């Protein structure tokens, strides 16, 4: 397993400054920096080349994360919106290829966060499967794993559990289309978190970790040692990426629904200390 963190731990916006972020996460001890995939489409050729060069120099892996907006919903009933979503994610994967980012994660089978103005789950599911089949072929051509994020019922009605995610992947039937399971969402939806990992088995391509209240691993109640054992049981060797959100405010706080400061007023230095300690805790818990 390789350990990483999403860039947004230190920000209140979905845009990242990735060169200093890469250096910071490497210094803390991470193997992976997870970037905002949409940013790759607004970066210049020079910026993309610099990010690739810096990550290679640091020995850092880049994964890419996206929650597509509603006008890029690949499961929309509107064919033009579906096509726009497929083109958007295809262009992201092409940009990822330029920086050697080989894992795209997120709610790429619909849009995020969900607004629940359409509750016809079977129809949304079917349209999503057809679109992800097309995206899977792009992923195969570019040597990218497309990891579909299973999220809780308050963020989508499509994939809420490991079992649903597996069923969706089976319909897509592409070895490059896998699952992302996130301990925050699992804590809401799964009866048993370690067993949900075991159920996913070879379909599991990426893991997000955070406590049930969005804090750092080790700051809450989740069964980290048991989850680590489950990942070892299935031979998981992919990315384990922290996705904590401690700061209220900004677009991040609004989208994630962080309505109070979970950091207890931490400054940047304290934020660095906390995530460094959490990484040490997580590595120990998952090592067995």
């Amino acid at each position: 397993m390789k350990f990483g963190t999403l860039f947004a731990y230190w920000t209140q916006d979905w845009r990242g400054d990735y060169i200093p972020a890469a250096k910071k996460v490497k210094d803390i001890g991470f193997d992976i920096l997870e970037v905002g995939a949409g940013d790759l489409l607004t970066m210049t050729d020079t910026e993309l080349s610099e990010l690739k060069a810096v990550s290679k120099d640091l020995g850092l892996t880049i994964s890419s994360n996206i929650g597509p907006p509603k006008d890029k919903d690949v499961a929309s009933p509107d064919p033009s919106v579906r096509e726009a979503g497929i083109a958007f994610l295809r262009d992201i994967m092409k940009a990822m290829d330029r920086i050697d980012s080989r894992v795209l994660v997120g709610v790429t089978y619909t849009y995020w966060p969900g607004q629940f103005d359409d509750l016809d789950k079977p129809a949304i599911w079917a349209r999503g499967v057809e679109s992800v089949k097309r995206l899977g072929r792009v992923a195969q051509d570019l040597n990218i794993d497309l990891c579909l994020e299973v999220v809780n019922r308050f963020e989508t009605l499509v994939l809420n559990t490991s079992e649903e995610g597996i069923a969706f992947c089976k319909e897509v039937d592409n070895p490059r289309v896998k699952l992302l399971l996130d301990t925050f969402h699992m804590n809401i939806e799964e009866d048993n978190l370690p067993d949900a990992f075991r159920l996913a088995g070879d379909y599991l391509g990426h893991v997000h970790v955070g406590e049930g209240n969005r804090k750092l691993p080790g700051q809450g109640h989740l069964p980290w040692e048991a989850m680590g054992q489950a990942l070892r049981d299935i031979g998981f060797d992919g990315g384990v990426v922290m996705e904590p959100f401690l700061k209220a405010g900004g677009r991040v706080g609004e989208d994630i629904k962080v309505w109070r400061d979970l950091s207890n007023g931490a400054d940047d230095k304290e934020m660095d200390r906390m995530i460094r300690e959490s990484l040490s805790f997580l590595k120990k818990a998952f090592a067995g």
Side-chain angles (χ1 to χ4, degrees):
M1 286 179 265
K2 291 186 175 182
F3 296 87
T5 188
L6 181 67
F7 77 95
Y9 173 71
W10 290 276
T11 76
Q12 292 172 291
D13 192 2
W14 287 122
R15 295 189 60 82
D17 190 358
Y18 296 121
I19 302 303
K23 295 174 181 177
K24 180 189 283 283
V25 301
K26 182 64 177 181
D27 178 68
I28 288 171
F30 287 107
D31 310 302
I32 301 169
L33 171 64
E34 193 152 289
V35 304
D39 284 346
L40 302 181
L41 299 182
T42 63
M43 294 169 68
T44 65
D45 291 345
T46 299
E47 289 170 331
L48 290 171
S49 296
E50 184 180 8
L51 177 57
K52 179 179 180 179
V54 168
S55 64
K56 295 299 182 186
D57 184 59
L58 293 172
L60 198 66
T61 298
I62 303 292
S63 57
S64 301
N65 187 319
I66 188 70
K70 191 174 183 181
D71 64 358
K72 302 292 192 297
D73 178 13
V74 301
S76 171
D78 184 335
S80 66
V81 173
R82 293 201 301 275
E83 290 300 321
I86 290 169
F88 176 64
L89 293 170
R90 181 189 62 228
D91 289 346
I92 282 174
M93 285 190 276
K94 289 180 178 179
M96 289 171 58
D97 185 53
R98 296 183 60 186
I99 63 168
D100 197 23
S101 175
R102 299 297 160 193
V103 179
L104 176 61
V105 306
V107 185
T108 53
Y109 48 88
T110 181
Y111 71 100
W112 181 90
Q115 297 175 13
F116 304 99
D117 48 3
D118 179 359
L119 301 180
D120 188 351
K121 180 168 179 170
I124 298 169
W125 178 293
R127 292 190 296 264
V129 165
E130 289 306 307
S131 292
V132 174
K133 283 182 177 180
R134 293 172 59 186
L135 291 168
R137 291 192 286 271
V138 177
Q140 274 189 309
D141 290 343
L142 295 174
N143 195 30
I144 287 171
D145 283 340
L146 179 60
C147 297
L148 313 178
E149 183 165 9
V150 177
V151 299
N152 72 74
R153 71 191 73 181
F154 305 109
E155 298 184 27
T156 188
L157 56 77
V158 187
L159 301 184
N160 298 141
T161 65
S162 178
E163 183 177 17
E164 286 186 320
I166 293 165
F168 194 97
C169 285
K170 286 182 176 179
E171 289 191 37
V172 172
D173 192 25
N174 185 316
R176 283 292 185 180
V177 177
K178 302 181 180 181
L179 293 182
L180 184 166
L181 293 182
D182 182 315
T183 59
F184 166 77
H185 300 291
M186 295 167 73
N187 183 58
I188 296 172
E189 298 294 345
E190 302 287 358
D191 295 336
N192 182 292
L193 278 68
D195 285 350
F197 282 127
R198 292 189 181 93
L199 182 66
D202 290 341
Y203 285 103
L204 186 65
H206 202 73
V207 174
H208 276 170
V209 291
E211 293 286 357
N213 55 6
R214 287 293 197 183
K215 289 187 178 182
L216 289 156
Q219 294 183 333
H221 69 277
L222 295 189
W224 295 105
E225 290 82 3
M227 289 190 290
Q229 181 63 59
L231 292 173
R232 295 194 303 275
D233 288 346
I234 63 173
F236 179 74
D237 63 355
V240 176
V241 173
M242 293 187 189
E243 202 182 35
F245 298 98
L246 304 186
K247 295 287 190 178
R251 184 60 187 269
V252 173
E254 179 181 337
D255 285 346
I256 301 297
K257 309 298 186 288
V258 181
W259 306 123
R260 67 188 191 281
D261 178 23
L262 302 180
S263 76
N264 295 318
D267 59 14
D268 286 348
K269 184 176 180 180
E270 178 66 6
M271 292 285 283
D272 291 354
R273 183 196 65 78
M274 287 193 295
I275 200 169
R276 192 185 301 269
E277 288 187 357
S278 179
L279 176 59
S280 177
F281 165 84
L282 189 64
K283 285 182 174 180
K284 183 177 179 180
F286 278 18

